[in-house]
Amino acid sequence: MSEETMRRRATVHDVARAAGVSLATVDRVLNGRPGVRAATAEKVEAAIAQLGFSRDLNASLMARARDLSVVFFIPDGSNEFMDSLAQAVERRSASALADRMHLDMRRVRALDAEALAEGLDGLDPRQCDCAVVVSSDEPKVISAIEAAHRRGIVVMTLVSDLPGSARQRFIGIDNVAAGRTAASLLGRFLPGGGKVAVVAGSLHLRDHAERLEGFEAALGAEFPAISIIGPVEGHDERTETAAIVARLLARHADLAGIYNLGAGNAGLVEALEASGRAGALRVIAHELTASTRAGLRSGAIDVVLDQNPDGEIREAIAAARALALQAGRAAAADAIEIGIFLRDNLR
């Protein structure tokens, strides 16, 4: 950064030069529009921070009598990935306030459709502009989203989509592609075929159902020598997942691999290590958390497919701003990139 830039107020041209991107890309990042890769958006944000660039607020936001209010409904419980999402909301709360956005996070019981529906029904459109939800595909939640939409509240889905609802945008990975990726990796790890157990959190969660769909389709088409046991639901809980994996290992001495397409990975690693078979099976899990990092380092887990919780919350905040202030614009969004981590490329 030049001394001249330091002395004068930084412009979008300075941000574009510092990030090595076009003005159009800077504009997309500043206004929360789709079409920017997560890594590129992070470069733009880094340039903004380095230059001390002050964003000119949207005229609609400047004219408002109050800050834009966004409520995040994040499942509670032992799911480390959901904790990562909640922590990402907390980290971004202060910077959001500088842009006149107030972030409110509410933890609800995991897989409790009634509690989430009640939370959505309790939102007042005079105090809330947008709700971001992680939810299973349940009629009560679909109805609550429809009712919130009628009251003028923008609703977005995060991590797991509800495409049949009145939600206006989905922020997350392509879960069918994630399942296909897991199948492709396991197929290459097990060229001679064998039994692979599938553990899910809940198939009422669309992201889990879509991962299973992609996994089964890819194995059937490309690796027919691999047979699937399950899926068995562990409800994303550590102890339940540990018990399920322990039973699978005890019943199938010839088990060759495990695909945990949900959470509860601390229990997965615990059961593998207790059985003495950690490292002997090929194991793929989701989300880079403390438990999966430890599993990768010990060799209990071979690959982790990650969806970057901090990046998802950043995209959700930008999308909430754009949708709430620019009603009527297209609500399509690019999928979050799937990160693939092995022990060799852990950060």
Side-chain angles (χ1 to χ4, degrees):
M1 178 170 53
S2 69
E3 290 185 4
E4 178 186 354
T5 302
M6 289 283 289
R7 287 194 301 268
R8 63 176 171 80
R9 182 177 178 179
T11 69
V12 290
H13 295 270
D14 298 320
V15 173
R17 275 194 297 272
V21 300
S22 68
L23 285 172
T25 298
V26 174
D27 180 73
R28 289 190 186 97
V29 173
L30 291 176
N31 291 289
R33 288 192 285 271
V36 183
R37 292 167 60 91
T40 303
E42 288 172 5
K43 286 182 182 179
V44 173
E45 287 199 339
I48 288 169
Q50 178 191 16
L51 295 170
F53 175 77
S54 178
R55 310 182 205 190
D56 290 329
L57 294 176
N58 186 288
S60 298
L61 184 53
M62 291 288 286
R64 290 168 58 92
R66 62 173 176 81
D67 290 355
L68 194 69
S69 176
V70 183
V71 178
F72 287 83
F73 289 94
I74 307 292
D76 211 340
S78 64
N79 188 328
E80 292 176 290
F81 175 66
M82 294 304 162
D83 289 342
S84 297
L85 288 173
Q87 291 159 10
V89 174
E90 291 174 349
R91 282 195 301 271
R92 291 187 174 270
S93 291
S95 59
L97 278 175
D99 273 351
R100 292 195 59 193
M101 293 183 69
H102 177 77
L103 307 183
D104 179 16
M105 184 180 59
R106 304 181 188 180
R107 303 299 296 267
V108 294
R109 184 179 175 184
L111 302 175
D112 189 337
E114 186 170 346
L116 177 55
E118 287 178 359
L120 285 168
D121 288 340
L123 296 177
D124 185 343
R126 294 169 298 180
Q127 299 175 345
C128 175
D129 299 281
C130 179
V132 183
V133 303
V134 181
S135 177
S136 54
D137 194 347
E138 302 284 356
K140 287 184 179 180
V141 176
I142 302 297
S143 296
I145 291 174
E146 175 65 34
H149 176 69
R150 288 197 303 267
R151 298 197 307 276
I153 296 172
V154 171
V155 181
M156 298 191 299
T157 50
L158 179 67
V159 178
S160 187
D161 198 12
L162 298 171
S165 71
R167 68 96 173 110
Q168 290 177 259
R169 186 173 293 183
F170 166 60
I171 306 293
I173 62 172
D174 180 336
N175 285 293
V176 174
R180 294 187 65 88
T181 301
S184 183
L185 290 167
L186 277 172
R188 287 163 171 76
F189 288 158
L190 302 170
K195 297 178 182 178
V196 171
V198 176
V199 181
S202 170
L203 296 179
H204 286 288
L205 291 165
R206 182 172 288 270
D207 58 329
H208 291 195
E210 288 180 342
R211 290 172 191 175
L212 178 62
E213 175 191 340
F215 185 75
E216 290 179 331
L219 281 187
E222 300 179 43
F223 306 102
I226 293 179
S227 59
I228 296 175
I229 298 171
V232 186
E233 294 181 326
H235 301 103
D236 288 342
E237 290 292 336
R238 172 178 182 159
T239 55
E240 192 171 352
T241 300
I244 285 170
V245 173
R247 286 196 298 271
L248 286 167
L249 292 170
R251 292 173 182 173
H252 302 279
D254 57 347
L255 192 66
I258 297 175
Y259 174 36
N260 184 18
L261 55 81
N265 287 301
L268 167 69
V269 173
E270 178 184 311
L272 285 166
E273 292 178 345
S275 73
R277 294 168 69 182
L281 284 76
R282 303 283 67 83
V283 178
I284 296 181
H286 279 263
E287 318 312 346
L288 195 60
T289 64
S291 296
T292 55
R293 283 178 180 275
L296 284 172
R297 289 194 175 100
S298 71
I301 297 175
D302 294 281
V303 180
V304 172
L305 304 178
D306 184 65
Q307 57 184 310
N308 185 3
D310 192 69
E312 286 187 326
I313 295 302
R314 174 181 55 76
E315 292 290 339
I317 293 169
R321 184 177 191 273
L323 285 170
L325 297 178
Q326 303 171 39
R329 290 204 175 189
D334 291 342
I336 298 292
E337 292 180 12
I338 301 169
I340 300 178
F341 290 91
L342 295 82
R343 178 169 51 189
D344 310 271
N345 68 334
L346 278 181
R347 296 193 294 268

